[in-house]
Amino acid sequence: MPSAPSKKTLPWWLYPNLVSLDAPLVALVWLKLYEKAFQLAIPLEIFVTLGATVWSIYVVDRLLDARLTQRRSPAGAKLAARHLYHWERRRLLVPLVGLVLLLVLWTAFFRLPQSLTAAGLIPGLLIGFYLVGVSQGQRSLSGLKELVSGLLFAFGTSLSAYSYAGVLRSLDFGLLGSNGETLAAMEVLSALLLGAVVTFGQILFKAEVLFFGLLCAQNIFVIHLWEQPRETPAKWDFYCWINALLSILTLTLALSVSHTGLPLLFGAISLSAGLLAVLHRFRKRFRPRLLRVLADVALLTPLLFLLL
């Protein structure tokens, strides 16, 4: 297996990607933009919990990817820099992620609003199934994986904002029936799952969340394409046009919606999609590592809108 690049050869701007801090940073700045758009006051522990959760998921995913690559080609496995970085530190990262996830679960069940925890059941289950599939080498549904990942990222990032905006008030743990009697365990579980499914659909198909999810999916799509050894011109041009179309659609929404905060969200989505289209169009002018980092920087446009 190739050795890790020397630390002296790694530019400083590559480390957030290597240590899986890029995705948590994107999630946090978008949640902050939701907070501003909806004029909320989201507690700090929500931001900490979101960042810790996203970081843990990405670390686990990269460790499973590296393990799968090693298992398939133990003699000459070639890992991407971010996967190699995690794999060489797996003895540290595995217990660290376990501790972080325990703290996240404790916070979810004992500190966060019950409705917020309940609403996270469905994406939590889907992410769990996805990681189990990765561990078994099930990555054959090309395209669907990226789409689902992007939508789940958008849902998980925005969920807290809708919770504090009052959208989840009707969703609780269902411990009491309509007459105040205590429900049986199966009735509680049924009420939880039904409420979580309904809430998942209600939030995911809000235009601002759906378009944000498509943007995240496009980010994953283009990064995956850039890392392929051979180009497929028709496919590459298709994704460039998709990003441009997403940018135009969300810009139109930003200029036409009457809701006070939604133009901020649609404007940020439009700018990010436009930046991805530009990066995709001029990809050959950038080194692969820089291009990978710039794809995530393109999703940090909320930082500009937070200054408005």
Side-chain angles (χ1 to χ4, degrees):
M1 185 178 69
S3 59
S6 171
K7 289 185 178 181
K8 294 182 179 179
T9 66
L10 296 177
W12 63 268
W13 42 262
L14 189 60
Y15 277 93
N17 176 258
L18 284 179
V19 300
S20 294
L21 289 178
D22 46 353
L25 179 59
V26 169
L28 292 176
V29 297
W30 278 92
L31 178 57
K32 193 67 179 176
L33 186 63
Y34 270 91
E35 181 185 47
K36 179 177 182 179
F38 295 161
Q39 299 180 354
L40 304 172
I42 299 177
L44 177 61
E45 64 182 349
I46 294 291
F47 287 91
V48 174
T49 303
L50 174 63
T53 301
V54 174
W55 178 81
S56 300
I57 293 171
Y58 272 72
V59 169
V60 171
D61 183 52
R62 288 174 177 179
L63 286 173
L64 290 175
D65 265 342
R67 176 176 174 270
L68 180 62
T69 302
Q70 292 280 33
R71 190 169 62 185
R72 287 179 171 176
S73 181
K78 184 176 182 181
L79 299 175
R82 58 188 182 276
H83 293 96
L84 180 60
Y85 188 91
H86 285 70
W87 184 249
E88 292 185 334
R89 293 159 179 81
R90 60 190 181 278
R91 289 183 177 85
L92 170 65
L93 289 173
V94 170
L96 180 59
V97 168
L99 177 61
V100 171
L101 287 176
L102 285 175
L103 292 174
V104 166
L105 289 174
W106 181 85
T107 304
F109 284 102
F110 297 104
R111 297 283 299 174
L112 302 186
Q114 291 184 346
S115 59
L116 178 57
T117 301
L121 284 175
I122 298 304
L125 289 173
L126 292 176
I127 291 171
F129 288 139
Y130 165 77
L131 292 176
V132 170
V134 171
S135 68
Q136 301 301 316
Q138 301 299 320
R139 282 183 175 269
S140 58
L141 296 177
S142 179
L144 180 60
K145 175 184 72 71
E146 289 85 356
L147 178 60
V148 172
S149 298
L151 293 175
L152 286 176
F153 186 91
F155 177 88
T157 298
S158 60
L159 179 60
S160 299
Y162 290 105
S163 174
Y164 283 88
V167 174
L168 307 182
R169 286 174 182 168
S170 60
L171 181 62
D172 55 35
F173 278 100
L175 298 179
L176 297 178
S178 58
N179 297 322
E181 73 279 7
T182 302
L183 297 178
M186 288 304 299
E187 292 176 310
V188 171
L189 182 59
S190 298
L192 268 177
L193 291 177
L194 178 60
V197 169
V198 171
T199 303
F200 182 71
Q202 287 178 338
I203 293 179
L204 183 62
F205 290 101
K206 288 181 178 294
E208 63 273 18
V209 178
L210 184 60
F211 280 115
F212 177 36
L214 293 176
L215 170 67
C216 295
Q218 281 298 108
N219 171 269
I220 303 171
F221 275 131
V222 295
I223 289 174
H224 175 71
L225 285 178
W226 295 339
E227 293 178 343
Q228 298 305 304
R230 295 182 180 179
E231 293 190 9
T232 306
K235 181 180 288 188
W236 287 65
D237 293 341
F238 172 76
Y239 286 117
C240 187
W241 283 109
I242 288 293
N243 277 313
L245 179 61
L246 179 60
S247 179
I248 294 171
L249 284 175
T250 49
L251 178 60
T252 303
L253 287 171
L255 297 174
S256 60
V257 293
S258 58
H259 188 284
T260 305
L262 290 184
L264 286 176
L265 297 172
F266 286 128
I269 295 171
S270 176
L271 181 56
S272 290
L275 290 174
L276 283 179
V278 171
L279 284 174
H280 193 55
R281 175 64 179 82
F282 298 102
R283 61 193 176 275
K284 293 183 179 180
R285 301 188 180 185
F286 301 96
R287 293 183 177 180
R289 291 192 305 187
L290 177 58
L291 191 62
R292 173 67 176 80
V293 171
L294 289 177
D296 290 328
V297 172
L299 298 187
L300 296 178
T301 54
L303 291 174
L304 299 176
F305 289 83
L306 288 172
L307 298 176
L308 297 178

